[in-house]
Structures are given as C-alpha cells and as structure tokens.
Amino acid sequence: MANHYLYYNDHSSRAYYCHIEHKPKIPTPAPKYEEYEVGGRNGKLHADLGYYDNIKISYEIYYHGKEPTAAVARSVKTWLAGAPGAHRLADSYDPGFFYNATATVGDITNVLNKYGRFTVEFDCDPRHFSVDGQRSEFLTNGQKLRNPFPQTALPKLVISGNGETGTLSINGETLDVGTYSDTQIVVDGENQNAYTLSGLSANNRIYGMLPSLPEGENVISWSGGITAVLLTPRWWTL
C-alpha cells in the first residue's frame, strides 16, 4: 500500500521521514446562524449569517529516519509548531486543494528508539481552497471567467493604470479606481482592502463594490484609466 504524505507550512512530511498512517475524517463545516424569536410564533427562527465555523482535522503520523528518533522528533515539532499563525495544509489524498490551518502536536511515542508515532490536530479555516484558484492571470477586457464552485470567491486584483480614474466592472457591479501611472493598486476582496505594491494604503482611491466572483460565469471589463488587470480568483468549496 502506498504511503501518503502531509504538506504544511511549505514543507512535505517526506522531508521529516513522516507519513500518514490513516486517512483522516474530514468534517463538514457548520453554517453560522443567528437565532431569534417572534412573539406569538412557535419555535425559533434562524437567519443565515453567510459564513461557517472552523473545522478540526487530525492526522495520525508515523515516522522513521536515518537519524536518532530524538533528533527527528525535534525537527518535526519545529516544522509543525515552530512557526506561529496559519499556514497551508494539504495531503496526498487530495493534493489539488488546501486549508489554511494552525497545528497542535500531541505526544510523540518512541518505538525502539528508531520509530515514532504522534497525532497532529489542525484547526482549519472551513474553506477548502483550490490550488488552481491561486494562479494569477492577466485578463482581457470583457473576459468571461467561470467560478466552478457554489461558493462566492473573493479575488485579489492587481490593477495597472495611466494615472487617470478608471472603472472596473464585474457582472455589472462597478468599482472606480484612481490609478497611478508609476505603480499598481492591489484590490483585495478577502481583506476588504486596497494598497500599492509598496504596501501604502490606497483605500482612498477606490469607490464602489469590492470584487467578488459568484458561482458560474463572471464578466469582467474595464474602462478609463485602467490599462491592465491581473487577477487571482481564490476559488474555494466546502
């Protein structure tokens, strides 16, 4: 039976002589609702808030190596727990998708001072991102871009211009952009933010709806001072 591997924080478990012992259970994210009551009506009503709770995924890991177990264990703990914050998580069962996750490493069991086992639990953003959806492409004016998933994506756009104000349109929703002639503006739908490539805020240079890409066909066009658009769609599903 083929071994399967974990990918986290830009490293493969192969580099640490680790592989996955058992395919993990993948929970289904729970949608968030606001409960409220109406006088004179039985039961509670629920308003969908449009987002989901985090999920937790646990992997049982087996490792061996050319080095003594203690040295391997230290390197494994550094890899998984040594860098604070969320990182990309994927595995060889489904390498075309990843989560953004933080890791908690359980106790490591030493076997004959040559092998080891442990469980690592990941607290995951509920969105399962497509690797293909992280690829950037320059669009042509009026291009149709298809979102293959039911969930609305929040893309990142890098907008070039001639210094005049231009209008970006996605499915008829418009965003006016006061472009620069000497740098690009990054418009980030996920973080609800706009900034220059050097990191300076450009929120005072955009007006209108920030970009989103619902399921199906999306028509993207621009006019005025906008000369080019580089888009990273960030497709995701549950």
Side-chain angles (χ1 to χ4, degrees):
M1 184 172 62
N3 290 333
H4 285 276
Y5 297 93
L6 190 69
Y7 306 95
Y8 182 69
N9 191 16
D10 298 325
H11 291 263
S12 168
S13 61
R14 286 177 183 265
Y16 302 90
Y17 310 105
C18 296
H19 68 260
I20 301 168
E21 287 208 77
H22 306 289
K23 186 175 182 179
K25 295 179 181 179
I26 307 297
T28 299
K32 295 287 288 182
Y33 295 96
E34 181 179 357
E35 292 186 351
Y36 61 97
E37 298 181 5
V38 176
R41 177 171 177 160
N42 291 319
K44 295 180 179 179
L45 299 178
H46 297 83
D48 187 354
L49 297 178
Y51 57 93
Y52 299 84
D53 277 332
N54 275 19
I55 60 173
K56 294 185 184 293
I57 303 175
S58 293
Y59 289 88
E60 295 178 25
I61 304 295
Y62 170 84
Y63 74 85
H64 61 88
K66 299 177 182 179
E67 303 175 39
T69 298
V72 176
R74 284 192 292 271
S75 66
V76 167
K77 287 188 286 186
T78 298
W79 160 48
L80 292 171
H87 305 280
R88 285 194 187 188
L89 167 69
D91 61 40
S92 54
Y93 294 105
D94 194 10
F97 290 81
F98 69 91
Y99 291 101
N100 289 319
T102 57
T104 301
V105 183
D107 294 338
I108 297 178
T109 302
N110 186 318
V111 182
L112 300 176
N113 204 35
K114 293 183 179 180
Y115 311 100
R117 286 187 172 91
F118 65 93
T119 298
V120 55
E121 182 180 77
F122 292 96
D123 185 15
C124 304
D125 183 303
R127 294 169 296 178
H128 209 189
F129 288 98
S130 162
V131 172
D132 287 342
Q134 302 302 306
R135 298 189 176 101
S136 302
E137 66 171 303
F138 280 102
L139 304 179
T140 57
N141 200 345
Q143 181 171 337
K144 296 177 181 178
L145 194 65
R146 182 177 175 273
N147 180 353
F149 301 109
Q151 287 73 32
T152 296
L154 299 175
K156 181 176 77 172
L157 291 81
V158 181
I159 298 173
S160 302
N162 60 14
E164 301 295 328
T165 297
T167 299
L168 176 78
S169 173
I170 301 179
N171 304 325
E173 297 285 353
T174 60
L175 178 71
D176 292 331
V177 181
T179 68
Y180 294 93
S181 59
D182 58 348
T183 188
Q184 289 80 37
I185 292 177
V186 180
V187 179
D188 192 329
E190 167 74 14
N191 295 318
Q192 303 285 291
N193 195 18
Y195 52 91
T196 67
L197 289 183
S198 61
L200 298 176
S201 174
N203 288 314
N204 62 347
R205 300 182 72 88
I206 62 171
Y207 315 92
M209 293 292 294
L210 287 170
S212 63
L213 300 170
E215 179 184 13
E217 189 173 88
N218 294 270
V219 181
I220 304 171
S221 60
W222 57 87
S223 60
I226 297 174
T227 57
V229 176
L230 176 69
L231 181 142
T232 308
R234 296 171 170 163
W235 308 133
W236 67 278
T237 187
L238 296 178

